[in-house]
Amino acid sequence: SSLVEILLKIDGKKYRKLIDGVKEGLDSEEALRQAYGVGFDELTSHYGRLANVPNLRRNKLSGAVVALA
């Protein structure tokens, strides 16, 4: 996916740390925080800016990613 490509471009070693964290039993957001220093909300916002969808946000209840009007 393009999100994986972005994470790899940021830093391949951090991506490896993310994957290793998940394999070791961390939940995916904690592994993301430990590897990149951001959570899902920050990552979604950054991804939205890069994809020219500046209002991209993650729904807190469902986890779904949506573009706000």
Side-chain angles (χ1 to χ4, degrees):
S1 84
S2 60
L3 182 56
V4 170
E5 291 171 11
I6 289 169
L7 291 172
L8 286 167
K9 284 181 183 178
I10 291 171
D11 190 325
K13 290 180 183 178
K14 287 181 179 182
Y15 186 76
R16 179 84 242 159
K17 184 176 179 180
L18 168 65
I19 297 303
D20 288 343
V22 171
K23 284 182 178 180
E24 292 169 4
L26 293 176
D27 73 35
S28 54
E29 185 160 21
E30 182 56 30
L32 180 65
R33 283 193 186 285
Q34 287 188 16
Y36 287 90
V38 298
F40 289 149
D41 292 334
E42 297 92 346
L43 180 62
T44 301
S45 180
H46 180 70
Y47 181 75
R49 287 190 304 275
L50 292 174
N52 292 318
V53 185
N55 294 322
L56 195 66
R57 299 289 181 266
R58 190 171 71 92
N59 182 297
K60 301 282 186 186
L61 295 176
S62 70
V65 176
V66 296
L68 301 177

